[in-house]
Amino acid sequence: MPTWILVVFAALAVIPSARADGIAEKATLCASCHGENGVPVDPKIPVIWGQNAGYLYVELRDFKRGARASEMMAPMVADMPRDEMMALAEYFSKKPWPNLGRKPADAATAERAQAVANSAQCSQCHLAGFLGASLVPRVSDQGFDYLLATLEAFRSGARANNVWMTDLMKAYSDEDMKALATYLAGL
Ligand code: HEC
Ligand code: HEC
């Protein structure tokens, strides 16, 4: 076999890993906020390690479109092509969900949250254990501050990328939302 063919083969063999390295490199930028080990550097920043890939992709797309407004995330995705968003979504979904070491909600809070969850049928979409699947996010063991902020943002319409969540949250009080966020963060 002529040597040039061997050289081409060798080059082809490195392409997939080079691409993977490229994504890992991009991901280091994300780590400055979402955490080196998956634990976000600020409680208002969500966990993305181990989150469902379909959901991660949809959020990146919505930040880019402006359907979900975020001063921090918009510049991250402004020039990001679709295949890179998909690769990042895939990459982070394969990481293990970090151990945030949170305690379960107390009995009274859990009871209130479960009453809300039952009336709203959260588990119809978020499934058992609030682990979600595909385009529906895992919300169990997500950070309390982030959960509360994002539920409030749905209710006020500040987070406008899911009409269903907005309509649903309008039915609930601040206390209900606090109970939900406390309960979910401790699951
Ligand atoms: C400067 C800090 C910062 C950096 C860097 C950053 N993020 Fe974020 N990210 C945030 C904040 C803050 C939010 C929450 C936005 C909101 O809800 O207002 C967020 C939200 C997200 C979400 C939505 C998660 C959910 O549960 O809804 C995804 C997905 C995400 N970021 C992915 C990434 C990726 C991929 C990168 C790297 C390309 C990245 N982020 C870099 C701060 C950052
Ligand atoms: C009809 C299906 C459905 C029901 C019922 C539902 N959700 Fe959701 N929820 C979704 C989808 C889909 C998203 C993702 C929206 C998006 O694309 O940003 C979401 C997003 C969320 C988020 C944001 C997660 C994140 O990482 O930013 C939270 C928190 C949440 N839901 C909690 C709840 C709770 C609590 C209930 C019950 C009170 C509930 N949901 C009921 C479908 C549903």
Side-chain angles (χ1 to χ4, degrees):
M1 202 182 283
T3 34
W4 68 266
I5 292 184
L6 290 177
V7 171
V8 169
F9 275 12
L12 282 175
V14 282
I15 287 172
S17 62
R19 223 187 252 155
D21 286 351
I23 286 303
E25 211 171 278
K26 289 263 175 203
T28 57
L29 170 66
C30 319
S32 62
C33 290
H34 291 280
E36 295 286 345
N37 51 3
V39 179
V41 300
D42 180 280
K44 286 221 162 167
I45 300 176
V47 170
I48 59 171
W49 277 37
Q51 182 55 279
N52 302 317
Y55 173 73
L56 289 174
Y57 165 70
V58 165
E59 299 315 290
L60 294 174
R61 183 201 66 185
D62 285 358
F63 285 128
K64 183 172 181 176
R65 287 178 176 172
R68 181 174 174 186
S70 166
E71 276 175 23
M72 290 205 210
M73 283 305 299
M76 299 295 142
V77 290
D79 302 315
M80 197 182 277
R82 186 169 176 271
D83 60 348
E84 199 174 304
M85 290 184 197
M86 293 184 97
L88 279 169
E90 213 40 53
Y91 175 87
F92 282 111
S93 73
K94 294 210 168 84
K95 297 273 186 190
W97 189 274
N99 182 357
L100 301 171
R102 269 191 274 270
K103 291 193 290 283
D106 64 79
T109 306
E111 202 173 305
R112 180 169 191 154
Q114 278 162 350
V116 173
N118 288 339
S119 74
Q121 300 195 303
C122 312
S123 56
Q124 286 272 336
C125 301
H126 289 279
L127 306 178
F130 283 90
L131 293 172
S134 179
L135 304 180
V136 180
R138 168 175 174 161
V139 291
S140 55
D141 202 22
Q142 182 58 275
F144 168 80
D145 297 75
Y146 171 73
L147 284 170
L148 188 59
T150 215
L151 289 174
E152 280 170 351
F154 274 131
R155 188 175 62 179
S156 72
R159 177 170 173 179
N161 67 333
N162 190 284
V163 181
W164 179 267
M165 282 300 302
T166 293
D167 284 350
L168 200 57
M169 285 307 135
K170 282 192 176 140
Y172 297 103
S173 68
D174 289 352
E175 284 310 309
D176 290 333
M177 271 191 210
K178 216 175 268 172
L180 277 175
T182 308
Y183 173 70
L184 292 173
L187 277 185

